[in-house]
Amino acid sequence: MGGIGGVVGGKGAHLGALSRIDGVDVPAGFCVTTDAFRQTLAQEPSIDVRLDQLSRLDPDDREAIRTLSAEIRETIEGITIPGDIASAITSTLTRLGDQAAYAVRSSATAEDLPTASFAGQQDTYLNVVGRTAILRHVSRCWASLFTERAVIYRQQNGIDHRSVHMAVVVQQMVFPYASGILFTADPVTGNRNVATVDAGFGLGEALVSGLVNPDVFTVRHGEVVGKTIAAKQRAVHALPSGGTQEVAVDSQRQKQPTLTDAQVVRLVQLGRRIETHFGRPQDIEWCLVDDGFRIVQTRPITTLFPIPEVDDRENHIYVSVGHQQMMTDPMKPLGLSVWQLTAMVPMHEAGGRLFVDVTRRLASPASRAGLLDLMGRGDPLVRDALETVLDREDFVLSLPDTGPGGPPGAPRSVGSSKSGTPGTPGKAGKPTVGGASAPIENDPAVVTELIERSQASIAALERDIRTKTGPALFDFLLEAFAEHKRVLSDPLSFQAIMAGMEATWWLNDHLQEWLGEIEKNAADTLTLSAPGNITSEMGLALLDVADVVRPHAEVVAFLQDVKDEDFLEELANIAGGAEARDAIEAYLDRYGMRCVGEIDITRPRWRERPTTLVPVILDNVRNFAPGAAQRRFEEGRQEALKKERDVLSRLRALPDGDQKADETKRMIDRVRTFIGYREYPKYGIVSRYFIYKQALLAEAERLVQAGVLSEKEDVFYLTFQEFHDVVRSHQVDDRLIQRRKDAFRSYQALTPPRVLTSDGEAVTGAYRRDDVPAGALVGLPVSAGTIEGRARVILDMADADLQTGDILVTSYTDPSWSPLFVGIAGLVTEVGGLMTHGAVIAREYGLPAVVGVEQATRLIRDGQRIRVHGTNGYIEILS
């Protein structure tokens, strides 16, 4: 932490800033600086040795951390404060009044940062009286830098113990009638227009310690809109001789509001002034003394998801791109900007994620129904979240349907009914399929032509980019991005994708209507082993690699110990290794541009980090017999054919059966012709991305050689345009890069919402179903069937260790996860929709799958036995 915060810590810096805001009353006090902390600790060299030991400890080894941190605290508390420091403290106390009572509060340099609040990580001591006691408590504050919880928090947040220093705030005590916390934004929903006030009698320690439940007031636009008055049976008061004491609250006062509505509104107004000064929502500690508010602390609310920046004051509704692309992790700035430059619609950045503004589409009755229907079919939680906002009637103003380009008339409010089950809308607004409205014929040559077009474009890119360096490279890339978007916007490509999706919907809707509930999600079986799916082929191809590796025991043993990314060179020196290397190299030639989170160009590709594939290859060697890829594909194809014969036979027995069977046969042919192509455009995107990335990294390496950059990956924290500017000027702002690194680290702790409003409210949506057993976890059914097995909670593909029959539970699966799908029996994810990649591949492999299960990786423990109901969309935890 630089500047004043590096001298007095986060708390001290914020108190200093607070004291300079007009109308904000802060109790008097002073700071013991971090220089005093360093000077004192320098008297005890053994602390350096223990810090070295502490930095080497595993964050999960709680017992070792507990023991070593206790030793460090004891050592610090035993150091005599140097005479000049002790004299400076006592002389300042004399000036302020050394018989007064003080609060002695820790203020670490890594505390109350914009990116991490560190709330409660170090200690505060109240009502400390007398010079000797204050000096003793200064030492105790220094020592609290090494409480077990503070040490673990720093390790989990990647903060070096040596980089954090401790200042101490010594502040005159306030003896309040009431105290509490003010959040200038709703800490639960994130709504920036809603403030909440927690209040209790006496000192705030009663609330912080959980001794009493607080009164809670909710304020919106300067008005108290909700309050809960608790029975406050206890309070904490200061003792005349020092320290604090719990006291009983008089029975007549227990249920009285701590504050009047007028006081609450006045406090929130004060909070808004503080929020404006710091430029972000604040968590403020306050005290009420003689009807005046004293502010004793403020810190940023770091758990709030940021809001996209716009240049107007209108209401906006944003839908998460990451939930559609199956990648909800934060992206680095270069990844964000390249995706924005190559995307087909404008995208807004917030919290390291991208969002699309759907406000205008929701405001127009003509486009609203179609958007909600499409969202509902993909992810019912997104639809429900959008309807939740629309139901407020005053957030989105409707634009009348005056035709393209027509002037909007007087706006009117929009409402939306939540009747029915999200994701299963009525016939209104559904895309039409089949018959004369079908945009393209059931011709496999259409897909072949599209793939050839994409491959030709990529080959041209690869050829032409080789000679481009310096600013000319960036000019060329802007042209390449235009070509990228031209390929993506090919009307024939869009028609082929929609043909497969609409045929899937048609089959599911009509077969359930004609043949009953038994045919719910019938398309799941009819699409098994559909031809031409580049992503499912990728999983099967790794089974073929395992077939090459399996016969060679030395190769298997070598791969089990692989750690370095250049292992393929060494592999050729082992018996059978050259053959295995060639098989892996051929796989990487076709699929090496893929990786987890592949929409972020900065993510390491399999070609750059081939060790990622080794655990999956070894699982395939262990769990499968030779020839598994071809056998599995053929088994799926035969099952789909059998399902087709059964469905058509039963349809023909119905009234108008021949017509229904003919329509269904045409739709089955249609879905099998086009559904595989659904995955190809993404393959084309990441193929192009890897070519872009190789050229950009070569340029970054030239900047490193020229001494402009410290390391080439620093460019990942610049936008595309900023990178271009650095190449032109040969100058870079190292502080900007460091700020971006810090921000990126903070974004990793945030969970992006499916829907976000311009008020900052994160709207999650709900399934609103009553057909799920008590205790079951609800999600979206995307691949039919029921399976029971061991849950394997895997957050990183490189950590895969699967046995036959395991059920994969993870946050999300993009195409890079598909090699794992061949070895599992079922799938559960926190993110996903009916037509996202994991769902499509699960159906092709015949895996029962439920996606969109909120907090699945936390609620399901690794190794538990679970039952996945892929047809009805829920999971039962059995053990």
Side-chain angles (χ1 to χ4, degrees):
M1 185 172 185
I4 188 66
V7 178
V8 297
K11 189 177 278 110
H14 284 150
L15 282 167
L18 276 171
S19 67
R20 292 189 292 274
I21 302 174
D22 282 345
V24 176
D25 189 348
V26 178
F30 62 93
C31 283
V32 182
T33 67
T34 54
D35 287 338
F37 168 79
R38 282 190 289 266
Q39 188 179 332
T40 303
L41 264 61
Q43 297 187 132
E44 183 49 73
S46 69
I47 291 176
D48 277 340
V49 177
R50 290 192 172 100
L51 285 179
D52 286 338
Q53 295 172 332
L54 194 63
S55 65
R56 291 193 293 267
L57 290 180
D58 186 324
D60 294 327
D61 190 349
R62 297 296 177 90
E63 186 57 41
I65 289 173
R66 184 177 301 118
T67 301
L68 189 53
S69 59
E71 291 176 7
I72 294 172
R73 289 197 306 277
E74 186 177 355
T75 301
I76 292 173
E77 288 189 39
I79 301 173
T80 301
I81 297 177
D84 57 336
I85 296 172
S87 175
I89 292 172
T90 55
S91 62
T92 307
L93 286 171
T94 299
R95 190 167 65 252
L96 288 175
D98 54 10
Q99 295 309 307
Y102 290 85
V104 183
R105 315 171 75 189
S106 64
S107 181
T109 55
E111 187 178 55
D112 296 348
L113 300 178
T115 55
S117 79
F118 283 70
Q121 295 306 312
Q122 282 85 44
D123 289 346
T124 288
Y125 303 96
L126 299 178
N127 202 34
V128 183
V129 178
R131 297 178 180 183
T132 302
I134 287 172
L135 289 172
R136 184 171 68 251
H137 283 85
V138 167
S139 292
R140 292 179 68 182
C141 277
W142 286 338
S144 75
L145 191 61
F146 296 98
T147 60
E148 181 187 351
R149 66 182 182 272
V151 167
I152 291 171
Y153 190 89
R154 286 196 295 273
Q155 288 181 317
Q156 290 173 340
N157 283 273
I159 297 170
D160 182 358
H161 299 300
R162 292 179 181 278
S163 70
V164 183
H165 304 290
M166 180 69 81
V168 178
V169 172
V170 182
Q171 194 173 16
Q172 285 186 347
M173 272 292 293
V174 173
F175 302 101
Y177 167 79
S179 56
I181 307 292
L182 160 62
F183 295 98
T184 64
D186 189 318
V188 177
T189 69
N191 194 320
R192 276 34 169 207
N193 290 326
V194 174
T196 62
V197 176
D198 290 4
F201 294 123
L203 293 168
E205 292 305 290
L207 305 186
V208 173
S209 65
L211 180 65
V212 297
N213 291 324
D215 292 345
V216 180
F217 302 87
T218 304
V219 178
R220 184 183 181 98
H221 299 310
E223 180 183 353
V224 176
V225 295
K227 55 184 165 183
T228 304
I229 307 304
K232 301 167 288 295
Q233 297 176 336
R234 311 286 291 173
V236 173
H237 288 291
L239 293 170
S241 59
T244 60
Q245 172 185 357
E246 289 180 25
V247 297
V249 176
D250 183 89
S251 59
Q252 293 182 331
R253 291 180 63 216
Q254 287 179 7
K255 292 191 177 181
Q256 286 182 0
T258 318
L259 301 174
T260 66
D261 284 7
Q263 287 173 325
V264 170
V265 169
R266 183 152 49 91
L267 175 60
V268 170
Q269 288 171 342
L270 195 60
R272 293 290 179 216
R273 191 178 303 170
I274 294 168
E275 177 185 69
T276 299
H277 178 85
F278 286 103
R280 59 188 301 157
Q282 297 288 302
D283 164 357
I284 299 167
E285 298 176 26
W286 57 268
C287 295
L288 178 65
V289 182
D290 299 328
D291 200 38
F293 287 105
R294 307 279 183 90
I295 304 300
V296 295
Q297 182 53 279
T298 189
R299 61 176 67 88
I301 308 175
T302 58
T303 56
L304 298 177
F305 200 87
I307 308 171
E309 292 184 9
V310 292
D311 56 4
D312 61 45
R313 293 182 172 272
E314 302 296 320
N315 289 342
H316 295 271
I317 304 177
Y318 304 98
V319 172
S320 163
V321 173
H323 285 80
Q324 313 300 313
Q325 290 293 334
M326 302 297 285
M327 210 295 272
T328 54
D329 295 345
M331 297 167 67
K332 296 186 177 78
L334 185 62
L336 289 164
S337 63
V338 170
W339 189 262
Q340 287 172 306
L341 286 166
T342 54
M344 302 309 299
V345 295
M347 293 185 178
H348 304 266
E349 184 272 333
R353 280 81 169 185
L354 292 170
F355 294 84
V356 173
D357 188 342
V358 296
T359 317
R360 290 193 66 82
R361 291 185 67 183
L362 290 173
S364 166
S367 57
R368 184 188 319 131
L371 176 67
L372 290 174
D373 185 73
L374 193 64
M375 290 292 179
R377 285 184 174 276
D379 185 342
L381 293 178
V382 173
R383 176 179 180 140
D384 188 79
L386 292 174
E387 289 181 323
T388 297
V389 180
L390 288 171
D391 278 350
R392 291 171 186 162
E393 298 189 343
D394 61 348
F395 195 83
V396 176
L397 297 178
S398 179
L399 300 174
D401 292 323
T402 56
R412 61 184 186 274
S413 295
V414 170
S416 171
S417 170
K418 281 195 182 177
S419 60
T421 303
T424 55
K427 304 295 181 187
K430 285 172 56 175
T432 57
V433 297
S437 64
I440 51 177
E441 295 301 315
N442 287 357
D443 184 359
V446 171
V447 173
T448 303
E449 179 187 346
L450 285 166
I451 291 173
E452 287 174 350
R453 287 185 198 175
S454 176
Q455 289 175 337
S457 176
I458 291 169
L461 169 66
E462 199 164 21
R463 180 190 66 238
D464 296 343
I465 203 171
R466 288 174 185 158
T467 59
K468 305 297 189 294
T469 61
L473 169 65
F474 291 82
D475 295 336
F476 171 81
L477 282 172
L478 289 173
E479 295 175 9
F481 295 164
E483 166 66 4
H484 180 127
K485 293 167 78 168
R486 187 196 66 75
V487 172
L488 276 184
S489 61
D490 185 337
L492 187 63
S493 178
F494 179 75
Q495 289 170 342
I497 292 170
M498 291 308 300
M501 293 169 64
E502 289 171 349
T504 300
W505 298 335
W506 190 97
L507 288 166
N508 282 337
D509 289 350
H510 286 77
L511 293 181
Q512 186 174 349
E513 179 184 336
W514 291 338
L515 298 176
E517 191 71 15
I518 193 173
E519 293 303 342
K520 186 175 183 179
N521 301 328
D524 293 0
T525 306
L526 293 166
T527 54
L528 287 171
S529 297
N533 187 316
I534 190 73
T535 306
S536 58
E537 289 170 358
M538 180 171 68
L540 296 174
L542 207 59
L543 286 174
D544 291 335
V545 172
D547 285 353
V548 177
V549 169
R550 191 180 292 105
H552 307 291
E554 284 186 59
V555 172
V556 173
F558 173 83
L559 291 177
Q560 287 170 338
D561 288 331
V562 158
K563 291 183 176 61
D564 297 328
E565 299 301 341
D566 59 359
F567 72 92
L568 289 170
E569 297 174 18
E570 302 173 47
L571 189 55
N573 302 323
I574 300 169
E579 188 182 355
R581 179 201 59 194
D582 291 347
I584 296 172
E585 285 283 4
Y587 186 87
L588 290 171
D589 286 344
R590 184 155 171 75
Y591 303 111
M593 77 294 289
R594 310 219 81 148
C595 67
V596 173
E598 59 194 10
I599 69 170
D600 183 352
I601 197 173
T602 72
R603 287 287 191 106
R605 311 284 138 174
W606 289 344
R607 171 55 82 180
E608 297 169 306
R609 195 173 289 175
T611 54
T612 306
L613 294 172
V614 171
V616 192
I617 294 170
L618 292 172
D619 282 348
N620 288 348
V621 167
R622 182 177 66 248
N623 295 333
F624 294 94
Q630 185 176 353
R631 191 165 53 251
R632 284 186 61 129
F633 186 83
E634 183 58 24
E635 286 171 356
R637 195 178 72 85
Q638 291 299 328
E639 191 173 343
L641 287 172
K642 179 184 175 186
K643 180 72 170 179
E644 177 182 325
R645 289 193 296 268
D646 174 61
V647 164
L648 295 178
S649 171
R650 290 165 56 212
L651 285 173
R652 288 193 178 97
L654 298 176
D656 300 321
D658 287 343
Q659 179 184 342
K660 289 172 178 170
D662 289 345
E663 285 185 74
T664 300
K665 171 60 175 167
R666 185 157 50 82
M667 283 299 165
I668 292 172
D669 291 345
R670 192 167 184 76
V671 80
R672 292 191 69 81
T673 297
F674 293 113
I675 199 65
Y677 179 72
R678 164 74 179 79
E679 295 291 297
Y680 200 87
K682 184 75 171 286
Y683 177 77
I685 289 171
V686 295
S687 296
R688 299 178 74 91
Y689 264 32
F690 191 39
I691 298 170
Y692 304 155
K693 182 179 186 180
Q694 288 172 305
L696 289 169
L697 281 179
E699 199 59 41
E701 182 59 41
R702 283 188 277 273
L703 291 173
V704 171
Q705 296 301 324
V708 178
L709 290 177
S710 300
E711 50 188 43
K712 61 184 180 181
E713 287 80 9
D714 280 352
V715 298
F716 293 164
Y717 297 93
L718 300 173
T719 66
F720 180 84
Q721 185 58 54
E722 288 167 347
F723 189 179
H724 192 180
D725 292 342
V726 171
V727 169
R728 277 197 296 249
S729 67
H730 267 220
Q731 293 182 325
V732 67
D733 185 347
D734 292 327
R735 291 171 300 176
L736 172 67
I737 290 174
Q738 187 56 53
R739 286 198 303 272
R740 295 269 178 83
K741 288 179 178 180
D742 292 341
F744 177 75
R745 186 170 62 241
S746 74
Y747 296 154
Q748 290 175 308
L750 299 176
T751 300
R754 283 175 167 82
V755 171
L756 179 68
T757 74
S758 49
D759 285 348
E761 184 175 2
V763 192
T764 56
Y767 286 105
R768 306 185 190 281
R769 291 170 52 184
D770 54 11
D771 60 343
V772 175
L777 307 181
V778 186
L780 177 66
V782 295
S783 185
T786 302
I787 193 70
E788 190 176 307
R790 178 180 68 155
R792 292 310 318 273
V793 180
I794 298 174
L795 300 179
D796 185 338
M797 183 177 155
D799 296 332
D801 180 14
L802 296 165
Q803 300 288 342
T804 303
D806 283 349
I807 297 169
L808 174 62
V809 180
T810 191
S811 302
Y812 61 82
T813 60
D814 59 11
S816 69
W817 285 76
S818 60
L820 294 186
F821 283 28
V822 299
I824 60 176
L827 174 69
V828 178
T829 68
E830 294 177 335
V831 176
L834 195 61
M835 299 307 296
T836 47
H837 305 280
V840 172
I841 305 307
R843 288 194 290 272
E844 289 212 11
Y845 286 170
L847 303 173
V850 181
V851 302
V853 182
E854 292 283 274
Q855 299 189 9
T857 60
R858 299 174 192 172
L859 298 174
I860 300 172
R861 294 195 307 275
D862 186 55
Q864 279 187 314
R865 193 158 188 83
I866 63 174
R867 185 181 298 128
V868 177
H869 296 262
T871 305
N872 294 312
Y874 62 89
I875 297 98
E876 293 179 283
I877 298 177
L878 305 177
S879 66

